[in-house]
Amino acid sequence: MKALVAVKRVVDYNVKVRVKSDGTGVDIANVKMSMNPFDEIAVEEAVRLKEKGIVTEIIAVSCGVQQCQETLRTAMAIGADRAILVQSDEELQPLAVAKLLKALMDKEQPGLIILGKQAIDDDCNQTGQMLAALANLPQATFASKVEMVDGKVNVTREVDGGLETLALSLPAVITTDLRLNEPRYVTLPNIMKAKKKTMDTFTPADLGVDVSPRIKTLKVSEPPKRSAGIKVADVAALVDKLKNEAKVI
């Protein structure tokens, strides 16, 4: 069974994000970029399924600029067998990415599609769900445990009331949550091996997909700075502050 894993190149989670002076977006010039943490978990889960003998081939996919090749090399260093880059300088929104992944699914016919639940740059949490809808496949989001049982995949997911376990027939779409696993460290020998693995490059036009943005960002601004806290003498003063100044009660 093939596993298709989507990975995204984002600003590293340790970097303090700064908004451009003109408010058109986030400044990524000379900023460290890395693989989206949720996507790292997705790659790790695919590798673990391969180590159990369930998955035979892992294909890492990224959509974006040419520099996404670095992210794909990292995925192959973790354990992906080959990679596909859908290269585009356009702003790729969730629906466009879902359509590109659907086109690659039709081409590769994977049994399992694994994505991170969301990207830490836009926090959309949409691509996996849109892909499942476009491909008319069963889906399980926010997975905290994945098991293969009798030809089906059992996914435990975190919901407001606790845990929910779904049994999905294959092929299926899974999006990963933080508690699913802890990704392994990438070793130097595996980084060197990744350089020799195959990476194919397509454009959206090659796949017959229109990636024109459907949503326009009007303005990006930093959140307002929090004012310093104060001490109050008693509960009555606290209630008064919350009611008359903060206006939250």
Side-chain angles (χ1 to χ4, degrees):
M1 178 176 71
K2 288 183 185 178
L4 190 75
V5 184
V7 297
K8 186 177 183 181
R9 178 178 180 262
V10 298
V11 175
D12 190 88
Y13 66 92
N14 289 311
V15 173
K16 179 174 172 54
V17 175
R18 300 187 183 280
V19 175
K20 292 179 180 177
S21 57
D22 59 2
T24 57
V26 171
D27 187 3
I28 59 171
N30 302 315
V31 170
K32 182 184 177 185
M33 308 291 281
S34 61
M35 187 189 301
N36 179 46
F38 291 104
D39 297 343
E40 273 191 277
I41 293 169
V43 176
E44 174 67 25
E45 191 61 26
V47 173
R48 293 187 184 191
L49 290 172
K50 186 180 178 184
E51 290 171 346
K52 292 176 183 176
I54 297 167
V55 168
T56 55
E57 185 182 27
I58 302 169
I59 307 161
V61 178
S62 190
C63 305
V65 295
Q66 187 177 2
Q67 290 88 333
C68 290
Q69 290 182 6
E70 301 163 15
T71 309
L72 290 170
R73 292 291 177 198
T74 302
M76 289 191 285
I78 295 173
D81 297 293
R82 58 188 174 95
I84 298 174
L85 171 63
V86 183
Q87 188 173 328
S88 174
D89 293 327
E90 288 259 14
E91 177 196 354
L92 295 178
Q93 295 173 349
L95 181 58
V97 175
K99 288 180 177 179
L100 292 171
L101 293 176
K102 167 67 167 58
L104 291 174
M105 279 176 53
D106 294 340
K107 184 181 179 68
E108 297 289 345
Q109 296 294 312
L112 200 59
I113 304 92
I114 312 177
L115 309 88
K117 72 170 184 177
Q118 66 193 74
I120 62 172
D121 53 0
D122 56 19
D123 272 338
C124 280
N125 178 24
Q126 295 174 345
T127 307
Q129 293 90 323
M130 287 177 169
L131 174 60
L134 289 171
N136 195 27
L137 293 179
Q139 63 173 308
T141 55
F142 316 133
S144 60
K145 187 177 181 182
V146 175
E147 293 179 304
M148 297 296 295
V149 180
D150 298 330
K152 292 191 174 185
V153 57
N154 287 354
V155 179
T156 302
R157 58 191 301 268
E158 298 179 359
V159 295
D160 291 340
L163 298 176
E164 176 184 63
T165 302
L166 302 176
L168 310 179
S169 56
L170 298 175
V173 177
I174 296 173
T175 70
T176 60
D177 211 339
L178 280 175
R179 277 168 282 279
L180 179 58
N181 62 51
E182 185 174 340
R184 66 195 68 190
Y185 288 105
V186 178
T187 62
L188 182 58
N190 286 338
I191 292 173
M192 301 308 292
K193 289 177 186 174
K195 292 181 178 180
K196 298 179 181 178
K197 292 183 179 179
T198 304
M199 184 184 301
D200 297 318
T201 302
F202 297 99
T203 64
D206 294 335
L207 300 173
V209 176
D210 177 16
V211 295
S212 302
R214 292 167 175 257
I215 301 171
K216 182 180 179 181
T217 302
L218 300 179
K219 185 181 179 183
V220 178
S221 60
E222 292 189 11
K225 292 184 178 179
R226 295 176 64 178
S227 57
I230 60 170
K231 291 184 179 181
V232 293
D234 50 33
V235 174
L238 172 63
V239 172
D240 179 65
K241 294 282 186 186
L242 292 174
K243 188 173 183 179
N244 298 315
E245 290 187 20
K247 299 189 183 302
V248 294
I249 59 173

